[in-house]
Amino acid sequence: QDSGSDKKYKIYLAMSYSGNSWQSEAANIVKALAKTPPYDKQVELTEVISGTDPQAQISAYESMIQAGADGVISFPISATALNRTIKRGCDQGVKFFMYDATVTEPCAYNVSFITAGFGENTAQALVNELGGKGKIFLSRGVPGNSVDKRHTDGAMHIFDQYPGISVAAEYYSYWDDRTTQQETAKALAAHPDVDGIWAQAGEYGAVQALLDKGGKLVPITGENSDGFRLALADPKMQDMGLKGVSSGSPPASAGYAFKIMMEVLTGKRDLEPMNIQYPLPWVPAADVKLCEGDTFENGCNVFPSEKVPSSFVTEVFNPTLLPELTLTSALDGNPTPGATIQPLPEEITKAPDSPGINCQRCEAPENQYELTKVKATVQP
Amino acid sequence: MSEARMASVECRGVSKSYGATVALEDVSISIGPGEVHALLGENGAGKSTLVKVLGGVVEPDRGTMSLTGEPYAPSSILGARRCGVAIAFQELSLLQNLTVAENLCLPKLPAAKAGLFSRGRTIEKASQILARFDLPLDPEEAVGRLSLPDRQRLEIVRAFSHGTRLLILDEPTASLSDVDWLFRLIENARKAGTAVLYISHRLAEVRSICSRATVLRNGRSIDTVDLAGADDNRIFEMMVGRSAKKTLSTHAGKPKSSGAVLSVSDLTTDILDSVSFELKEGEILGVAALEGQGQRDLFRSLVGLEKRRSGSISVDGKVADIRSPKGALASGRGMAFLPEERKTEGIFASLTTASNMTLPVVGNVASFGVVSRSRERDAAGETADVVDLARRYLPFRISDLSGGNQQKALLARTVMTGARILLLFDPTRGVDVGTKQSIYEAIRQFTEDGGSVLFYSSELPEITSLAQRCLVLYGGRIVEAFEGDAIEEQNLVGAMIGHREDSAASKGAYS
Amino acid sequence: MNQTTGNDGSATDTFAHVEDRRASSGIDRDLVNIVAVFALSAVLILCSRFVSPALGSWNQVLTILTLSSFLIVLSFGQGLVILVGGLDLSTPSLVVIGGVLATVYGSDGNAFYVLPIALCVCALIGLVNGAGVVILGIPPFIMTLASSIFVASAALGLTGGTPRGNSPEILAFLMKERWLGIPVVVYFVVLFAIVGWIVQSRTTLGRRLYAIGVNREAARIAGIDVGLTEAIPYAISAACAGFVGMMLVGYSDGATLRMGDSYLLPGIAAVVIGGSSILGGSGSFVGTVGGAILLTTLGTVISAIGLDQGYRTIIEGSIILVALVLLREDLFSGLRLRNRKA
Amino acid sequence: MSYAASLATERTSRPTLRLKRMLSGGAAVVFVLYLAMYALYAWFEPSALSLYTFTNLMNNSAPLAIAAAGETMVVLARGFDLSVAGVISLTNVFMAIYPIEGPLGALASLAICMAIGAAVGAINGFLVAKLGLQTIAATLGTMIVCQGLSLVFLDAPGGYVAQWVSYELTDTLFGVLPISGLIVLAVALLWAGFSRTNTGLGIYAVGADEQAASLSGISVTATRFAAFVGAGILYGLAGFMLSAQTATGDPNAGESFLLLAFAAVALGGTSLSGGRGGILGSIFGAGVLMLLQKVLFAAGVSSFYTGMFQSVILVAAIVLGNLIGRTFSKGAVR
Ligand SMILES: Nc1ncnc2c1ncn2[C@@H]1O[C@H](COP(=O)(O)OP(=O)(O)OP(=O)(O)O)[C@@H](O)[C@H]1O
Ligand SMILES: Nc1ncnc2c1ncn2[C@@H]1O[C@H](COP(=O)(O)OP(=O)(O)OP(=O)(O)O)[C@@H](O)[C@H]1O
Ligand SMILES: [Mg+2]
Ligand SMILES: [Mg+2]
């Protein structure tokens, strides 16, 4: 606006809330990318936090459309409630990019790992560790949430095949360490003899609850917190019985979404609105590798506890898709000194349809729960 | 004699207990049509409870009632109203956020169209009622903005408007200094054949309007007597079960010293107009006034509850900048205030009576901030004796006490503060005859020990018998001051109605 | 009055027994409620054996006590605010601030002064709440809601969204260690409950708070410094919430910016279920402790029921309602009355 | 010395009194605040004056405004109703899983939503008025039960609200009047009528002083009950309007309404300890809350400063209201 010569793109980062590591890392890397050359000259990024209230986000979207936004990159609070507003925005030429969570409005781009099979793959991994039988806990996310439902449906698809596996307790942990720890403690009071825990985000709380109780650890599959990965790799914990896989939601999808959006806006890429799949992170205990630097390099995937809090979500980096980012981007939203934006690989993975998640009146493919990361080592 | 004619109202063997407290036991009473019947008894004798039974507010545990011969068992206050029975309650039952008219017409306002009530017709109906009972209030005024006496009158008028067969007035004059209006209304009702049950602790009043009286003691009906044939002592004996104490009717001597402990000069508020006076050590200073002449403002501004516009207050010779009752307690030898309205300004309903009494000085019965229950009980007990409050009430919730006993507890509170200056606004309101004497005695004792008392009373005889000096307020100004033998009803009344003042003086006096 | 010295001796004698029957009932309504709350918790724990055989054990009791410690500490402050007729909606944000300050600035070496300072900061924020309510006359609901939003924003700005650092040793000790087989925090909570009960029910401060809650105007007239006194509960509540934040940090070694959210309603519910009136002026902290334990017990048992979340939620709500109906004050007095009549 | 004669009362003239009362009422203050904020909004963002923006704003505000209106009824009778969150979720879920098309279908849906609200309100009313439970505790229980029911019927967001509802009700009438605004207006008018019934007046009476109300012959039980049922019906309507706006169901839809509804009520000048205030204030209070987000956005305040501004403005609004109220009503009812 100021120079008038080359117009800056008006981009809004519409978050739900900021307050856990995942959300702030996702927002931080978008901010860092927007400050990385050449985007620093092309982008005027405004951050808006709406809290957990869909009404507030609807109102925020309306304001953005009204303010003449070129693009909105957003973590949508509801998969469905925002649709009408998004549609109005699309009609006025606004590009909507959703990261991690999705909307069912077809004119928006969804960039997410949700359809990549977190639930079924981790469930199979847990079954493998348990040898096909045992009492398990399901530590779920937020009740009445479609992402939680997709993950759990996938997991139950596997668990149901094994009569030896029984779900002793199923509780909601709101994707939060503390809540997971407390809910797991409650469940442990009723079932001290649990054999394994299938967890969504917050998994490190499950580890701590087991430690609090004393006695042995059990196999746990969970998401990508630094604390959990460190625990998986800790020989002491392994001796106590901790095994498992770290997988799940990557904040990196926000950066990926942002870069695709910029490429679309700047005309470098011609892409109709679609559902884009971010690859499912998959780090079994054996593959955990400590990073010496400030980013994922040489296949490392976890940081020492002095550098980041245990709740830090490690899957914020991606050497191929987001080579621009280091810890300073993820923690403070600052660009990496000397880094410039690298083009994305040409090919983009289309996500399969998943009704209620990324499309409205659609059918899920037959093979939606097909295993992609593990093979069943035990048969039902 | 009473059995000869058909009773308008009759109770037989009515009993009512609250938990372990027996409020009424086997009470019988009968009132004839067109009779004004007094109900007498000590504080806590059960008068208000009987009233509530008659009015359908509480259900008796046992006993029967009849109204003009037919069985009468009201299940609600509306049921009683339908039978023509209405009460003016001791603790007023008006809604302060509603208007006069709405209060008068509750619970069913005159209807307009489509099930809605009509504002105009409500006001019209209320105006009629107000006019019928000679009460010049603005029907559209919110009741919360009325003075306490006006609220009391409204309560009375509301009862009159419904009570066609039995009208119950529970201490209707407690905050009224002028009873003529009420007596005229009662006389009219009596002529129309309405039975009136009249409760008051003012025997003179009772004698002037009632023909017979039923005496309650400890929840039992002792006897019904013809008032003409029973002297005060006899009635008193029936009420308390012993003969009256020797009443002190002469003035106590002059104050011992003449040093002013409280001096007020040119005190001006929204209502008061440069009021100046001194209160000396060991003095009982009375304030006499008709309602709404600024006495409330005077007392409240002294303790910082009302904003002063100008003027100064000095305690013990030092100018005191008093902004709150706490400040008043802390300035000089301390001033403690007994407020006008028991329910809204006085009691802490859900706390015990003992806690209510010790509250301002709870630190004195505590060590390291922790209250000692035994010390609290002892301290409260001692003061309870001073105001003649039975010690067994101390652990009760104060809301379970009768109105008079609540008043005693509040008076005890001011005494307990240790302040040497007491500002008492109508201290004996609703207090029984026997206790009044004890309280007078306590006040005298207090001043003899060097304390000073400023008090207002709605009962002139109280001022004449107690005060050593007396200020008369009219229109927010002190119009006269009397001393010693000059304090005499005739003189006071003359000054109170402001006959020496031009009518302009009343400007702004009535809020 | 009791020493009747009248000449009408017979009348005095006749009514002597009446005096006796009018003695104080001696039944403390609060006490009945408190006993009932704890009894209900105990019954719930015992009945939970039907849900899972491992429940109803000593271990479960310890788990419940540990988990309820957060709610107990939080609801002490909330209870005091409710006692003076207010409501503190800023607790979630203060939990966060307490936790953030402890992790960001606290370390093993400096915890002995950082934690007290952090608590003072929280109390100061609470005092601002109190000042807003008392001086500016803002309804507590709005004042504390506004400060909650403000403090949450500040915490966000302070941390950039990710609170860094770990739990100081001392907090981990409080929340994780065991002594004689019992978690240290259980001792702490028992102590806290006793002190809290004394503060609320036995001290001069507590007495003044009750008075203000029952009748603010009367309290002023009785000579209480209502302004200052009324602000104190807000400060205490904020400090309590801040301390809960620290406890949470010790419990799970780190802070997040939303860790207080799940304590707002339960904090208020514990107070109300414990028998205090939401309008102020009544109740006891022992009751509140019972309420907190009842809610936590309920959560523990409910989470062990093998039903869908929807049904579990319905059961949870229904049990709360049933408990409330059982805990009604007039139910007890009603029963008493019926016995008398019979 | 007749009493009447001694009463030389000087009265404020009636119209002045009424005007003062109106100005000191919370509704007037918050209405002025709303206008001022709208002016500010329009100054930052000229298109704020367009019909399109206004309609959107109305659509956005209507659910909260109606929910706050319902909450006001309970608050006036000295209560707190948490079930607002549960009823909105439940009705939203109902709208999404049983869409009934066409105008008649919309009417039927509306009736059912209101019936759901009335039923929950009746349960609340029974628990509070009959069994004597504390309002906040009883409604917490029913809120949780309602949330559970919503989850049972719909375990994840989804479903479709009838097209007719979601398009017509968010549209404009004759191209100028936002329908959602008209519905809010209808609520306000209904309240104006209701407050002129004996029950309506009774709510004020019960809220101010329960004991005095019952001694005045008002049935406290029936009044409380009516307040809860009325509130429930409005929550049902709020859920209906929310469904029209979002066009889908979400079992957690009502959660965010809980605190906001109370904030709107308090902002609108209704005393949270009962007996004073009205629905109109709450409606504008809700409007202010929704408008605040817009103004802050338009003013370019973003990210975490929004919270700070929001809180400061919230407090400033109340303080301003107090000041205005005080200057116009010296010595008014407390
Ligand atoms: N004997 C009477 N003398 C004068 N006025 C009366 C008399 N009886 C009733 N009224 C007046 O008429 C009005 C209506 O009487 P009442 O209170 O009995 O109404 P009601 O029939 O019970 O009313 P509703 O049916 O609306 O409840 C009252 O407000 C009262 O002031
Ligand atoms: N709600 C209640 N709960 C328990 N006890 C009560 C209750 N109401 C009254 N009492 C008790 O019943 C007794 C009678 O009280 P009541 O109010 O009838 O006395 P009263 O004769 O009107 O006295 P006063 O002249 O002081 O007004 C008192 O001992 C009182 O403490
Ligand atoms: Mg009485
Ligand atoms: Mg009738």
Side-chain angles (χ1 to χ4, degrees), chain B residues 81-82 108 125 129 132 161-162 164:
Chain B
R81 246 187 222 180
R82 244 172 268 130
K108 263 195 199 166
K125 180 176 170 190
I129 296 175
R132 179 145 63 94
S161 72
H162 294 291
T164 48

Side-chain angles (χ1 to χ4, degrees), chain C residues 248-306:
Chain C
L248 284 168
V249 162
Y251 182 69
S252 61
D253 194 25
T256 65
L257 296 188
R258 294 178 61 82
M259 63 184 186
D261 286 12
S262 49
Y263 290 98
L264 178 61
L265 278 186
I268 297 169
V271 175
V272 174
I273 290 174
S276 302
S277 160
I278 191 73
L279 299 170
S282 76
S284 149
F285 182 52
V286 183
T288 303
V289 171
I293 292 177
L294 182 63
L295 282 177
T296 314
T297 309
L298 189 57
T300 316
V301 176
I302 291 288
S303 79
I305 297 177

